[in-house]
Amino acid sequence: MPDIPRLNRPEHRQARAGRALIAPAVLLLLLILILPVVVAAVLSFSDYTLGRSGIGWVGIENYADIFARSSYRKMITATVLYVAVTVPLSVALGLGAALLIRSVGAGAGFYRTVYFLPVMASLLAMAIVWEFALHPSLGLVNRTLAQGCGTWLEGWPWFAGGCSYGFPMWLSDRDYALWTLAFIGIWQSFGFNMVLYLAGLTSVPRDLYAAAEMDGVRSGWERFRLITWPMLGPTTVFVITISTIRSFQVFDTVEALTHGGPAKSTYVMIYAIYEKGIAQNLVGMGAAITVLFLGFVMLISVAQRRFVERKVHYA
Amino acid sequence: MIHRFSTRQTLIHAVLILGAIVVLLPFYVMVATALKSPVEIASGTGGLFGAQAPMPSEACLMQGGSEADCMTRPAIDNFRQAFTKAPLWRYLLNGVIVTAAIFLLQTLIAVPAAYALAKLRFWGRDAAFALVMFCLLIPVHAIALPLYLMLAHLGLTNSYAALILPWIVSAFGIFLMRQFFLTVPDDLIDAARMDGMGEFAIIWRVMLPTAIPALLAFAIFSVVAHWNDYFWPRIVITGERSLFTPPLGLREFKGDLDGTFYGPMMATALVIVTPLVAAFLVAQRRFIDGITLTGMK
């Protein structure tokens, strides 16, 4: 058999094809994802502004500012509070809804559809609708609350206060704004977690319950504690991670409804990046917050990957 | 026993219905307000969906029409204003252009890469896969600022390119398609090679048809994300109204009207929310399976 020239052997042809096929993707990943991270890291040590020539290097000043200035401390507080409220509640509600829907006889499909609707709807549009529903005088929420005035509900001091001085201005009172945004965030996202939990529940082997029953496990709570919850472990880790990353990135509701206010009580990180780096053109500062933000998010993702040996949750 | 069982079921239904009411509340507010007249909105009257009593259209009166000419139904007036006060059709078209372009380019780039990662052996493959896995960790929203700077330096802000380019490579899409391609038997590919097919033909004529479910799942994920995206358009489109995507258009509408024209605003919101919600209601199973499969990102 005559020697095939080295470069034309099938394995070489395959290698050439492979590299050619993957080249565009690799190039674009480097350009669109990796390069910006490097750019952000470099610019975070500068006072660069778009449109001005030349860069001044300020060392770690931007980072020092983040930890020293009260407005950035408020940013960290608002972000952490928002995440700390939305994640546990949207995960718990997602799990609760999934368990209830699984145990309900008729109507499961209906509930699943309804709870998933907010996931499909544009968050910006629904935020504006919520803003209207929560409007202090025109909104459905306060109007409904006001109907309770003069009834036994006034026995509750908070409610009585609302009746005499007006119910809260949900989005412009600094004691309420962040919680209101968190509520909208939970409303929007828990259906997504529910769907992941429903998928997780179908993968719990039926015979485990039968076996537990034989071992004398009778109560629903014991079944949940001993079988369902441990079996849902990987799903839970995954749901928590994804919820955390998503709530870290809250932007639409903040930008459209509160602009980070009142008194910076809703000044979350992504909004701060937008406001500093883009609206005010303080690129260096925006870049420093970007780096910090990426650090947070990557830490969470890496922790998740370590937590479950299986690299992905394949439902 | 049976009695206890049904009490339990009733209780579960009660909880679930209560949840459903809270979830549906803003959807109801949106629809109801879009159908009501300004007077009904301000006074909280009009019943569930507005009385639909004929009323003079304020926009028409302002243009100097006589009261008799301007009589219309509130619902009609709200939607007419939604489509005339802002170029809503244009925004919807932009939404379609941007979402479709993003998905097509993502597919064009991800599918060959995924095939190479799954089925071809070459030096550098492991490094390329490691890169994809690393990029999965980077949320594109988080690197918006440097991306914006790069686009600004290229003079590309306020263009379709700015809306589309940052999304054309999806590490997640590559990863998802690769996982799917791994399950395709090698024999199928070898047979295609025997038939004289080139690698390119194999990708589009052998691999892709088998991976339609995965591609569909990715399409749902991609379209839902980009139709609803507000963050990125807000950054790169500054004032160029003809490039507004639906959420941007709604935001502009809200700003323009100072939040007083609630009827038309809710009509606009309804118009931009409807396409995906309707698609979801029609093909629920597909959507939920797709989102579950792609829920990783």
Side-chain angles (χ1 to χ4, degrees):
Chain A
M1 203 164 119
D3 242 12
I4 308 173
R6 225 174 83 82
L7 284 172
N8 278 335
R9 280 190 212 151
E11 63 265 31
H12 285 276
R13 275 213 313 274
Q14 205 187 89
R16 273 208 311 275
R19 276 194 293 273
L21 291 173
I22 205 153
V26 167
L27 208 70
L28 287 167
L29 285 175
L30 291 172
L31 215 64
I32 292 176
L33 289 155
I34 304 292
L35 181 63
V37 173
V38 177
V39 169
V42 172
L43 288 178
S44 71
F45 297 106
S46 78
D47 62 1
Y48 179 73
T49 58
L50 191 63
R52 196 186 70 193
S53 57
I55 294 187
W57 299 103
V58 298
I60 59 159
E61 201 177 285
N62 291 324
Y63 292 99
D65 270 1
I66 291 179
F67 294 102
R69 284 210 212 155
S70 75
S71 64
Y72 296 116
R73 276 209 306 272
K74 283 181 183 161
M75 167 185 85
I76 309 257
T77 313
T79 314
V80 170
L81 268 181
Y82 183 88
V83 174
V85 173
T86 48
V87 173
L89 285 173
S90 68
V91 171
L93 282 174
L95 175 62
L99 288 171
L100 289 181
I101 287 175
R102 282 281 285 193
S103 67
V104 87
F110 168 77
Y111 295 120
R112 195 191 53 201
T113 306
V114 167
Y115 291 174
F116 197 71
L117 274 184
V119 181
M120 302 305 302
S122 151
L123 179 56
L124 180 89
M126 298 320 290
I128 287 174
V129 176
W130 270 115
E131 184 187 29
F132 176 60
L134 294 166
H135 189 286
S137 54
L138 297 179
L140 180 73
V141 173
N142 281 7
R143 264 188 185 147
T144 310
L145 286 175
Q147 305 216 318
C149 290
T151 67
W152 56 272
L153 277 166
E154 284 213 53
W156 177 16
W158 180 88
F159 207 93
C163 289
S164 6
Y165 310 110
F167 285 101
M169 303 199 282
W170 300 102
L171 289 160
S172 46
D173 182 330
R174 76 160 97 171
D175 292 334
Y176 289 98
L178 187 74
W179 312 111
T180 308
L181 292 191
F183 172 82
I184 299 176
I186 295 164
W187 169 84
Q188 202 261 336
S189 64
F190 86 93
F192 186 82
N193 295 341
M194 170 200 72
V195 159
L196 294 178
Y197 270 123
L198 280 172
L201 282 171
T202 44
S203 65
V204 180
R206 297 278 99 196
D207 33 337
L208 275 184
Y209 294 108
E213 183 121 17
M214 296 235 265
D215 286 347
V217 176
R218 285 286 141 80
S219 80
W221 166 248
E222 286 290 291
R223 268 204 306 274
F224 175 77
R225 191 175 65 86
L226 293 170
I227 304 165
T228 318
W229 179 246
M231 289 303 287
L232 286 177
T235 311
T236 302
V237 172
F238 173 66
V239 168
I240 290 175
T241 317
I242 195 167
S243 300
T244 311
I245 293 176
R246 285 174 165 225
S247 45
F248 254 116
Q249 303 202 45
V250 59
F251 175 82
D252 301 16
T253 46
V254 176
E255 202 276 341
L257 304 186
T258 66
H259 297 281
K264 295 241 188 276
S265 60
T266 61
Y267 193 59
V268 294
M269 286 182 96
I270 281 271
Y271 182 73
I273 293 174
Y274 166 75
E275 197 208 46
K276 289 289 158 197
I278 291 163
Q280 298 180 8
N281 201 6
L282 298 170
V283 172
M285 195 63 209
I289 306 174
T290 298
V291 170
L292 200 67
F293 184 88
L294 277 172
F296 271 134
V297 170
M298 285 192 173
L299 211 69
I300 296 162
S301 301
V302 171
Q304 180 223 2
R305 282 197 196 169
R306 286 281 140 79
F307 213 79
V308 241
E309 300 93 332
R310 279 198 307 164
K311 277 214 175 99
V312 270
H313 166 80
Y314 233 73
Chain B
M1 193 66 200
I2 285 174
H3 177 71
R4 259 192 62 206
F5 175 74
S6 67
T7 321
R8 214 178 98 90
Q9 283 283 310
T10 313
L11 205 68
I12 293 176
H13 275 293
V15 174
L16 285 171
I17 287 170
L18 198 71
I21 290 172
V22 175
V23 169
L24 289 178
L25 180 81
F27 290 101
Y28 160 71
V29 169
M30 175 170 72
V31 175
T33 315
L35 299 177
K36 285 186 176 183
S37 72
V39 178
E40 287 168 333
I41 293 168
S43 60
T45 55
L48 283 185
F49 295 104
Q52 299 305 329
M55 58 152 213
S57 158
E58 223 164 293
C60 172
L61 289 177
M62 273 195 281
Q63 286 175 357
S66 75
E67 195 149 318
D69 296 338
C70 289
M71 290 309 274
T72 178
R73 305 267 171 189
I76 296 171
D77 189 48
N78 287 337
F79 282 94
R80 188 185 291 146
Q81 284 196 56
F83 279 96
T84 51
K85 286 226 158 151
L88 190 51
W89 285 116
R90 180 63 201 241
Y91 301 160
L92 293 170
L93 179 69
N94 286 341
V96 172
I97 292 173
V98 169
T99 4
I102 289 174
F103 174 65
L104 288 178
L105 289 167
Q106 280 175 335
T107 306
L108 209 63
I109 286 160
V111 167
Y115 169 70
L117 285 177
K119 293 295 180 191
L120 299 177
R121 272 175 300 277
F122 56 94
W123 183 87
R125 185 178 78 168
D126 293 343
F129 187 59
L131 176 73
V132 171
M133 291 306 285
F134 180 74
C135 286
L136 270 177
L137 295 177
I138 306 172
V140 185
H141 277 79
I143 50 169
L145 177 60
L147 276 173
Y148 163 76
L149 294 175
M150 287 159 66
L151 288 166
H153 275 287
L154 296 170
L156 285 176
T157 50
N158 286 311
S159 70
Y160 281 118
L163 288 170
I164 296 165
L165 280 180
W167 308 101
I168 61 175
V169 61
S170 162
F172 172 67
I174 298 172
F175 177 77
L176 180 75
M177 294 312 285
R178 170 190 176 266
Q179 297 304 93
F180 212 85
F181 285 159
L182 282 177
T183 65
V184 176
D186 287 339
D187 295 347
L188 197 66
I189 299 165
D190 289 335
R193 288 205 185 103
M194 295 288 201
D195 289 347
M197 272 185 166
E199 300 296 323
F200 223 65
I202 291 175
I203 294 174
W204 302 114
R205 290 174 36 206
V206 179
M207 299 302 278
L208 200 59
T210 66
I212 290 294
L215 194 68
L216 213 59
F218 182 62
I220 289 169
F221 165 81
S222 172
V223 167
V224 172
H226 296 293
W227 178 269
N228 289 338
D229 188 24
Y230 169 65
F231 176 71
W232 184 248
R234 181 84 178 94
I235 286 175
V236 291
I237 305 299
T238 47
E240 181 63 50
R241 262 192 154 197
S242 61
L243 290 171
F244 278 4
T245 57
L248 264 189
L250 175 62
R251 179 71 173 82
E252 177 80 356
F253 200 94
K254 173 176 136 86
D256 276 2
L257 297 178
D258 210 16
T260 43
F261 280 66
Y262 282 111
M265 192 163 85
M266 293 298 149
T268 310
L270 187 58
V271 169
I272 73 165
V273 161
T274 300
L276 288 189
V277 168
F280 167 67
L281 290 177
V282 170
Q284 283 188 56
R285 262 258 75 92
R286 274 242 113 84
F287 270 76
I288 287 186
D289 289 350
I291 295 280
T292 317
L293 189 66
T294 58
M296 300 167 266
K297 180 74 180 164

